[in-house]
Each structure stands twice: as C-alpha cells, then as structure tokens.
Amino acid sequence: MPPKRVLIADDTEFFRAALKDILARAGYEVVGEASNGAEAIELARTLRPDLVLLDVVMPIKNGIEAAKAISALKLPIKIVMCTSLGYEPIVAEAVKAGASGYIIKPPSEAKVLAALNAL
Amino acid sequence: MDTSKYKAIYLQEAKAHLSGIESGLLALERDPSGKETLDTLFRHYHSIKGMSASMGYTPIMRLAHAEEDLLDRLRKGSLALSGALISALLRCLDLKRDLVGKVESGEPLDASIDPFLEELASASRPGQATAASPSASLPGIAPGPQAGLRLSSIMRVEGRVFDELLATVGDLFMVLSSFRALTHDSRSVEFKDGVHLLGKTIGTLHGSILSARMLPIEDLAAGLPRIVRDLATGSGKEVSLYTEGMDISLDRAILEGLSSPLVHIIRNAIDHGIETGSERIASGKLSMGSIRVRAHARKDRAVIEVSDDGRGIQREALRRKAADRGIPLEKTASMPEKELLKLVCLPGLSTAEEVSETSGRGVGMDVVKDAIEGLGGTLEIESEEGKGTKVVLELPRTTLITKALIVGTGLERFLVPISKIEKVVETSTEEIADGTFGYEGARLPVVPLASIFGLPEKNGGTTTLVLVDGGLALGQGGLSRLAALKVDSFGAEIDAYVKPLLPPISRLWGASGMTMMVDGTPVFLLDVQQIISRAVEGA
C-alpha cells in the first residue's frame, strides 16, 4: 500500500514543522503545507491528499470554513482538526462540517497517531 | 515533543508575532474599531500561546492566554478598549520580549508575571456582554486572494551570515591589495591581467553582497511609533509621528548604527523641542505636536530628516551656554547661522533649561554627531525659533569597504581614510620647526601622530606629512580646515573592510574602526577629525 498523502494547514511554521516530523517518522508522505484556510482549500483541490490536518485559528479562512469547503469538493479526503485546549466546542462544529477527528495541541506523536489510526 | 529541535523556529516565529502585536496594538489605539486588527492580534496571541505551551514556556503561555481572552472579549464587544488597557497590553508585550530573550539565551523564565496579569485584569472592567456563538468568535473571515503552490523567492537568512560574507570579501580585498603591490615589480602581462580580472570579480561579488545586505529604513522605523508614544506619554505631551520615504534601503550595519542616534534625536525633540499642549495653544499652534521623519536617496547616500514643530533652538540661550563652555559671546555674535547651530553638538552643551528624566540635560547631541560621523555620515541642524527644529542626517547607503592609506609611525601602522586626505608631502624637519607647515599661503598646524598615541617620535632628516581635512576647527577662525598629520612613512592605498568598533572598545579615542591586515594584525582606522581637533585645542 502506498503511504498516505497528507496536507498540513497551520498558520504557524512551528506546528507545521512539528507535525511534519511526526508524520514522516510514522511513514506518511507530507505532500503540501498551507499557512491559511484559503490555501488549504486550494491545495486540497489540486494535490488531492488522502488526509488534511487543519488548524482551527488561521487567517483569511479559518479551519471550520476550510473544512466545509474541502468537504464540499466531494473528494475522498479525510479531515482532522488540530486545535488548542479550550476549543472543543468548535471541534463539534467542525465534525458537523465534515471533519473525522481532532488533535488537541501540542501534537505529540502518540496523540497524532491515535487520531489518525482511529480514522 | 522534542523541544530543543524546535527552539529556533519558535524564536523566529515568536519574535515575528511580537512585532505583529506591537504594530497591531498601536493601530488599535488609532482606530479602536478595527475589526481586522482585532482578529489579527487575536491570532498572534493565540499562536504564541500554542507554541509556548508546546515548548513548556509556561509564563509566556499564561500571559498570552490571558491576553487572548481579552482580545476575544474585545472582538465580541463585551469589553471596551481603553488607553489603560493598551498600555497594560504593551507592558505585557515588553515582558514577553524579555522572556523570549531569556529563552534565546537559555536563562530560566523566572520573571514574576502575576503583577502583569493583575494589571490586565484591572484594566479590563467588564462592559455590556453581547451573546455570541463560538463560531462567531473565530477570526479571519475575510475574502483572500486565491493561493497557489509557490515557493517564495524571498529567503530568510540570519543577518550575521551577511556580516561574515562581507568580512570575507574584505579579506579578499586585502589579498588583492597585496597582489596589486606585486604587479608593480612584475613583468608578466598574464599576471597583471589576472590580478586585474580578480579585482573586477571581487568588485562584482562585493556589489552583490552589498545589495543583499540592504534593508528598508522601515525595518528600523517600525519601532518608532511605540517609542514616540511612550516618550510623549512620559512627558505629558501629545505628539504624532509622520514618516515618509521609509522604503529607502541602507546597509543593515548602517541602519543598526542609526538606531540609537535616531532615537536620541526624537527623544530630544519630544523632551526639549515640542512644547506642552497649553504652551502650544498659547502660541497659536495645535495642541498636538508633530515629528516627521523623511528619507530620500541622494546618489549613493541617504538623507534622513527628523523635524519637529516645537519651540526651536533659542539662539541667545545657545550663545550663553557656549560662553560657559569657553566660546566668547563676541565670537558667536558674528557666527553664521549654520555654524552657530553646530554648537549644539559641543560636548555637554544643552539649551534645555529644565532637567528631564528621559534625556537628562539634553546630553547627547555630541554623542549623536560622533555616532553619525562614525558611520561615515554628516549631521546638520536647521532651526527656526518658535517654529521648530530639523536635524538632517546624510549617510552612506553602503559602506564598510573604505579606501585608506597605510601610514606608519615607529613600528605601528594606522589607516587614514582617503576621503579625508588632501595631499601627502615630504618635507624637511626644519620646514616644520615652529609646529606649522606652509601650504597654499596658510600655516597648517602640524600634528605628530606618534606623540598623539604616546609613541616614540622620529626626528631629523625628511619627514612625511599627510594633509588632512580636520573638519571645523573652531580655534582657527575658519581660515583652513586642513591640518598636517606627521608620520614616519606611508605605504599602499588599500580597500579595507573596516569593522565598526563594538563593545567593549566602542569608544576608543582617535579610532573609528579597525581592520585585520592579511597577516592577521589589527590596524585602526584613524578618526582624523577627533585627533586634529583634540591636538589643535590642546595646543
């Protein structure tokens, strides 16, 4: 089976780098990185990853809006929300918008893999 | 999470967020209703909180968390913005900067943040709460340009890399200088051509590195609004800042060197130039004072003007102060305007009557002038009583490679900047027996370099004089700006990469920089003006 292709969307390079390392170690292929919601939608459309990790608080379009738009593409893309503690109510909304899982930051290897394995 | 690995990214991003917070808070103070500003600020705090939590930098995380909450309330309209709140947020910003600095230097984050959290709490009394759904609290709902997959053509490189590159080119120039010296004795055309080509190539490389080192003044000026605000608040005045031409770019080393003189000039303008609101109204001005920083390029130099609309420099007070410093009133009575205003830069002279907390007794225009001249620049003052003062700085936009002449006295070598040299002459000791040298109808003061630096002086036979521009020599009645620097010998003219003197030797008398010769010996670049004026004054 080819490695799962992942798109990471976070406005912070810090978290993008951390997620990228965790995913690479676990055998995922990071095919793109977006630093805002609009870019995430565009990259999801053009790169067609298997999986998108979406930060919630992002400029231009936030993670919820991006999740809605990516779901609306009707492509086989799974969405996992990444968010800070205290934003759980928003995750519920994201699930309604089409997300299949979530990770609470900071993203430890165990947390990320648990969330991805549960998909 | 393996934190050590991410520390560099953390520091870089945290600093960017902190500058974003600073400009955001100042923008918010001007326009409290700025919805986008509030959203952007919220995201900055949110990011810092998240990163700091991941890295285990708890004090920074706690601060950012409290601030994020406040910003959220401001966005929802359940909290009204006040000056006290902005001030509290700015103070928390400074604290976070300190803490991030401690992260960088590996110090423990042991600052007590509770007083800051309390200040935030007391500055934010709850107002009318308006119901808002969680989704309404999400920021960043604005139509943006379509983003594509692009690799940015801009690279982030640490500034010191460019310093090292430039230093290396400086070394190449030194090597080139010694090759050039060899071509004089060589008959090989190939060798001469090769050295010529080498020189051209190093010149091109130098040009590319210099242009890569250029930064817009904006990078420096971005911090000015905050400084103006704090100084004005501190002195109970209202001052607005206007900037123009901040896209003009300068070498980062010059820009760095400009930083403290610029702040000093602005501090003087606010403390001593701009009047209090009531004084201003009484003299028919707007109660709010203004400071303008304008920049424009003049060939390869940048002109930066800092003007205020304050009370201007009081000529009579200035003359009295100059008299206290030993320049008689009769002399200043006939002085041209420009020369008179230059007296402001005499060490220790100030026209400010009262002592103020921020700039002492106006101490520092001499320091400012020294610093600007150390960068190869000039400083001029224009002022109209009652209308305001303008300080005009002219600076090289690129520098650090200086054409200089090697001179020797005893076993020591020094560099004299070519730009200061009028002529080099050989003469006999008898010609200068009376301590002066006749040149174009004037008697120039002879200044022996050896005695200036306490070195043994060679006497008898022929002697070498380097005629230099000593700047404005007050003791000479403006007859000539030239003086004769007496040395034992002179060598080649070289392109020297001159490093500015940095602490702990930033104030070495008589020198404005240093360079390493190819053989590794350090050589100082002489501050000709300082040497001549000391020698002439002391004579």
Side-chain angles (χ1 to χ4, degrees):
Chain A
M1 204 173 73
K4 285 233 165 100
R5 303 170 71 252
V6 186
L7 169 67
I8 299 173
D10 196 305
D11 60 337
T12 320
E13 188 190 342
F14 178 82
F15 283 120
R16 290 201 303 273
L19 284 170
K20 206 170 156 179
D21 286 350
I22 293 171
L23 290 169
R25 270 200 301 274
Y28 289 85
E29 184 194 354
V30 177
V31 292
E33 292 178 46
S35 57
N36 64 59
E39 207 178 345
I41 299 165
E42 180 63 17
L43 290 185
R45 198 175 60 75
T46 52
L47 299 175
R48 305 198 165 206
D50 302 311
L51 187 61
V52 183
L53 293 187
L54 275 180
D55 180 25
V56 174
V57 178
M58 283 193 292
I60 302 177
K61 281 189 190 299
N62 65 44
I64 305 291
E65 293 171 304
K68 279 185 191 154
I70 292 171
S71 306
L73 294 174
K74 303 281 178 219
L75 291 168
I77 302 176
K78 295 246 192 249
I79 299 169
V80 172
M81 305 305 293
C82 281
T83 186
S84 309
L85 209 58
Y87 280 75
E88 290 88 342
I90 292 167
V91 171
E93 203 177 324
V95 172
K96 262 189 268 165
S100 319
Y102 69 94
I103 299 164
I104 301 285
K105 287 180 184 177
S108 70
E109 188 149 354
K111 275 195 248 177
V112 173
L113 297 185
L116 299 192
N117 290 334
L119 292 178
Chain B
M1 209 163 124
D2 170 18
T3 53
S4 62
K5 195 177 156 187
Y6 301 104
K7 188 170 157 183
I9 307 179
Y10 174 87
L11 287 171
Q12 194 179 41
E13 284 203 294
K15 285 179 192 169
H17 285 301
L18 293 178
S19 335
I21 288 173
E22 178 164 286
S23 48
L25 289 175
L26 295 170
L28 203 58
E29 190 170 41
R30 286 194 297 275
D31 175 17
S33 62
K35 166 95 176 76
E36 273 182 39
T37 312
L38 283 170
D39 284 344
T40 309
L41 269 173
F42 176 86
R43 280 197 305 271
H44 285 309
Y45 285 120
H46 181 80
S47 296
I48 289 189
K49 180 190 80 171
M51 292 194 299
S52 304
S54 307
M55 296 293 288
Y57 303 149
T58 313
I60 307 177
M61 183 271 281
R62 281 181 62 205
L63 277 170
H65 184 61
E67 293 164 308
E68 182 194 14
D69 274 354
L70 279 182
L71 260 292
D72 201 32
R73 285 166 61 196
L74 286 171
R75 287 194 315 179
K76 290 175 181 163
S78 67
L79 176 65
L81 192 68
S82 65
L85 188 53
I86 295 270
S87 293
L89 286 166
L90 284 170
R91 267 191 284 279
C92 287
L93 169 69
D94 292 341
L95 178 62
K96 282 196 297 297
R97 280 213 168 109
D98 278 358
L99 289 168
V100 168
K102 286 186 171 172
V103 167
E104 188 160 23
S105 57
E107 291 168 65
L109 303 182
D110 51 5
S112 162
I113 64 163
D114 291 336
F116 290 86
L117 293 176
E118 277 158 30
E119 193 192 350
L120 277 184
S122 72
S124 58
R125 281 183 227 92
Q128 263 98 5
T130 50
S133 69
S135 66
S137 73
L138 283 174
I141 303 155
Q146 282 292 319
L149 188 59
R150 276 188 313 272
L151 192 60
S152 167
S153 63
I154 309 248
M155 276 171 58
R156 271 194 277 196
V157 181
E158 270 195 68
R160 62 165 181 82
V161 174
F162 286 105
D163 290 345
E164 285 162 12
L165 278 174
L166 194 61
T168 309
V169 173
D171 293 344
L172 283 176
F173 271 116
M174 303 294 268
V175 175
L176 179 67
S177 294
S178 41
F179 273 125
R180 273 196 185 132
L182 288 175
T183 59
H184 300 309
D185 305 325
S186 170
R187 295 226 179 112
S188 161
V189 177
E190 286 85 358
F191 178 60
K192 288 184 181 187
D193 284 353
V195 171
H196 179 71
L197 187 63
L198 181 65
K200 273 180 74 169
T201 313
I202 297 176
T204 310
L205 178 64
H206 179 221
S208 313
I209 293 174
L210 284 187
S211 63
R213 289 172 54 92
M214 303 291 268
L215 288 176
I217 300 177
E218 179 62 43
D219 285 14
L220 191 68
L224 285 181
R226 170 76 190 278
I227 288 169
V228 168
R229 178 196 186 273
D230 287 356
L231 288 173
T233 312
S235 57
K237 296 170 184 173
E238 278 184 283
V239 182
S240 45
L241 173 77
Y242 303 91
T243 56
E244 199 183 314
M246 296 296 108
D247 54 333
I248 304 279
S249 52
L250 271 75
D251 185 276
R252 60 184 296 275
I254 299 175
L255 216 48
E256 227 167 65
L258 178 64
S259 160
S260 99
L262 189 61
V263 169
H264 222 112
I265 293 168
I266 287 179
R267 178 172 285 176
N268 274 341
I270 294 175
D271 278 354
H272 310 305
I274 291 176
E275 314 89 329
T276 60
S278 49
E279 274 178 79
R280 290 178 63 88
I281 288 169
S283 52
K285 294 179 178 177
L286 290 174
S287 73
M288 183 182 276
S290 67
I291 290 182
R292 282 167 210 278
V293 181
R294 297 178 57 231
H296 62 270
R298 186 182 287 163
K299 289 187 191 160
D300 60 341
R301 293 172 77 83
V303 179
I304 300 167
E305 300 175 350
V306 183
S307 50
D308 66 65
D309 64 349
R311 56 172 73 92
I313 295 170
Q314 319 289 310
R315 306 299 193 273
E316 290 316 305
L318 179 62
R319 289 182 55 217
R320 279 200 306 277
K321 293 272 180 176
D324 294 345
R325 296 268 310 146
I327 299 170
L329 286 170
E330 309 84 70
K331 185 160 183 173
T332 50
S334 59
M335 239 182 208
E337 170 89 7
K338 232 181 179 173
E339 303 293 308
L340 184 66
L341 287 173
K342 272 191 185 164
L343 297 177
V344 172
C345 299
L346 280 179
L349 190 133
S350 157
T351 64
E353 301 292 339
E354 90 269 33
V355 174
S356 103
E357 187 196 329
T358 40
S359 56
R361 297 172 301 110
V363 172
M365 275 315 276
D366 56 324
V367 178
V368 170
K369 185 166 174 274
D370 282 354
I372 295 296
E373 285 172 355
L375 297 169
T378 59
L379 179 151
E380 296 212 337
I381 298 170
E382 296 166 23
S383 183
E384 207 175 326
E385 278 185 48
K387 293 260 178 79
T389 300
K390 185 198 272 186
V391 180
V392 183
L393 309 176
E394 194 184 305
L395 290 160
R397 294 175 66 192
T398 60
T399 184
L400 295 174
I401 300 288
T402 306
K403 284 199 180 299
L405 183 74
I406 303 176
V407 298
T409 182
L411 291 172
E412 295 295 323
R413 284 183 295 177
F414 297 94
L415 294 173
V416 184
I418 292 288
S419 61
K420 298 282 181 195
I421 299 178
E422 167 88 3
K423 205 172 187 177
V424 179
V425 296
E426 302 266 341
T427 184
S428 65
T429 314
E430 294 79 58
E431 278 285 322
I432 53 167
D434 67 342
T436 64
F437 173 71
Y439 180 72
E440 293 187 342
R443 298 301 298 181
L444 311 183
V446 173
V447 179
L449 195 56
S451 70
I452 287 280
F453 287 104
L455 299 164
E457 204 174 335
K458 189 189 93 172
N459 279 308
T462 61
T463 186
T464 305
L465 297 177
V466 183
L467 307 188
V468 291
D469 181 351
L472 176 77
L474 284 165
Q476 283 178 273
L479 271 180
S480 172
R481 294 162 64 97
L482 292 180
L485 205 55
K486 179 173 171 285
V487 298
D488 290 350
S489 61
F490 70 96
E493 178 187 325
I494 60 165
D495 291 304
Y497 168 68
V498 177
K499 297 178 177 74
L501 295 175
L502 296 171
I505 50 164
S506 51
R507 302 279 299 166
L508 186 70
W509 187 83
S512 60
M514 63 162 295
T515 191
M516 286 287 176
M517 303 298 274
V518 195
D519 60 7
T521 44
V523 175
F524 289 104
L525 183 75
L526 296 181
D527 184 335
V528 170
Q529 224 145 312
Q530 199 179 36
I531 289 173
I532 301 298
S533 61
R534 162 87 66 98
V536 171
E537 266 175 31

